[in-house]
Amino acid sequence: MKAKGIHPGLAVIIVGDDPASRIYVNNKKKACEYIGIRSEEYALPAETTQAELLALIDELNQNDALDGILCQLPLPKHIDEKAVIAAISPDKDVDAFHAVNVGKIMIGDYDFLPCTPAGVMELIYESGIDIKGKECVVIGRSNIVGKPMAMLLLHDHGTVTICHSKTKDLAETVRRADIVVAAVGVPELITGDMVKEGAVVIDVGMNRLPDGRLTGDVHFESAAEKAEAITPVPGGVGPMTIAMLMKNTVKAALLHHNEK
Ligand code: NAD
């Protein structure tokens, strides 16, 4: 890419001083530096108005030196996240949250995939696990993880069930699964007795316990006794999410320069 004069650039916006968001943004910037993506941080105070944030996004949309724009979520309560996501130009939307990109994923014809579900798929592929015809259970139905995750497993011919906070018998549903993806935000909700012998267990959860420890949505020790393959927290899906962000930024830069 360098030989062709393409030098990918990513704008990273962070509003306020949420400590978890600060860690995520720093990790993303470190990854950019590591692979040679130019990252520009826009750290705005918590009192930033929605109009100010939208004006910045407008400016970044027009900035030809930037290929990707990422606005770290969650945003302070007085800012409408939907309006912010909608303001990012779809061709710079490296998180793939914009309705245009979500729609493209739905019909299976997309440029960008949302980073966390894409990272999970990459883990499955690299482990040589075949999804076709498998019972896949996704726990969580957020726009960022659960819903697109289910769609990607479906595209790969999984038989997909989505569980959520109103699901009647979570344990029984999870017990049927050949592939379980937990994206809930409840520490160690999924225990070994809910896991089928030989299942693949992917833990998206990142929960900070009162003692400062980071834990997933799966009780690792008991689930590992049953699972054929399992991801740890930390060190599982998290780093993959960042890798997929890098991939999307590179892709955005290639598309921007009319290269595929
Ligand atoms: P969210 O809060 O938007 O969604 C949580 C989902 O879980 C909801 O759909 C809800 O219906 C469901 N749920 C809640 N309680 C439940 C229960 N008892 N049983 C079944 N379903 C239940 O969260 P999110 O943004 O999708 O994130 C989920 C988790 O993944 C969080 O821990 C988050 O920190 C983590 N996460 C990790 C990464 C990563 O890079 N590893 C990226 C995004 C999110």
Side-chain angles (χ1 to χ4, degrees):
M1 291 173 78
K2 259 190 193 158
K4 289 181 175 160
I6 306 173
H7 193 185
L10 175 67
V12 183
I13 306 171
I14 176 167
V15 186
D17 46 16
D18 176 53
S21 291
R22 174 40 70 194
I23 294 173
Y24 299 148
V25 163
N26 287 352
N27 287 341
K28 289 168 186 177
K29 281 168 49 191
K30 248 188 254 162
C32 282
E33 212 171 292
Y34 180 63
I35 70 161
I37 289 176
R38 194 169 33 78
S39 74
E40 285 181 16
E41 181 180 303
Y42 296 84
L44 308 179
E47 333 52 90
T48 303
T49 65
Q50 180 165 321
E52 285 166 339
L53 179 56
L54 293 179
L56 170 66
I57 291 174
D58 191 38
E59 200 185 299
L60 301 175
N61 280 339
Q62 324 243 359
N63 183 340
D64 223 28
L66 291 171
D67 303 291
I69 302 170
L70 176 154
C71 185
Q72 185 65 45
L73 302 180
L75 290 166
K77 293 224 174 348
H78 65 278
I79 298 178
D80 176 9
E81 277 184 8
K82 277 194 205 148
V84 171
I85 290 169
I88 295 173
S89 174
D91 63 334
K92 293 192 176 187
D93 172 35
V94 285
D95 266 332
F97 293 163
H98 192 286
V100 166
N101 288 322
V102 175
K104 285 180 163 191
I105 294 159
M106 193 85 174
I107 59 171
D109 177 18
Y110 46 79
D111 294 318
F112 307 119
L113 287 176
C115 302
T116 301
V120 171
M121 295 306 283
E122 215 50 55
L123 283 168
I124 294 175
Y125 296 146
E126 288 292 317
S127 308
I129 293 155
D130 190 13
I131 298 168
K132 198 169 166 183
K134 296 271 170 67
E135 289 284 344
C136 304
V137 172
V138 177
I139 313 152
R141 57 174 161 181
S142 70
N143 289 334
I144 293 172
V145 191
K147 279 190 220 166
M149 188 68 248
M151 194 52 59
L152 298 189
L153 291 165
L154 183 64
H155 286 325
D156 273 37
H157 314 292
T159 301
V160 182
T161 305
I162 306 176
C163 296
H164 46 78
S165 53
K166 306 285 183 289
T167 294
K168 287 236 168 73
D169 195 342
L170 180 69
E172 203 43 49
T173 312
V174 173
R175 250 176 235 128
R176 287 206 310 263
D178 302 307
I179 299 174
V180 183
V181 182
V184 192
V186 176
E188 301 177 341
L189 176 73
I190 307 303
T191 46
D193 60 306
M194 297 161 82
V195 174
K196 183 164 100 176
E197 199 70 49
V200 171
V201 180
I202 297 167
D203 192 353
V204 177
M206 289 215 279
N207 311 299
R208 189 68 65 183
L209 298 177
D211 65 4
R213 268 188 312 131
L214 192 64
T215 185
D217 292 342
V218 176
H219 184 264
F220 186 86
E221 287 74 22
S222 61
E225 280 175 20
K226 307 280 263 317
E228 180 206 340
I230 184 165
T231 65
V233 177
V237 174
M240 291 305 295
T241 297
I242 294 177
M244 295 301 109
L245 173 68
M246 300 299 106
K247 186 176 173 181
N248 282 348
T249 307
V250 168
K251 182 145 193 204
L254 289 171
L255 291 171
H256 191 175
H257 289 83
N258 296 316
E259 307 258 352
K260 279 267 173 181

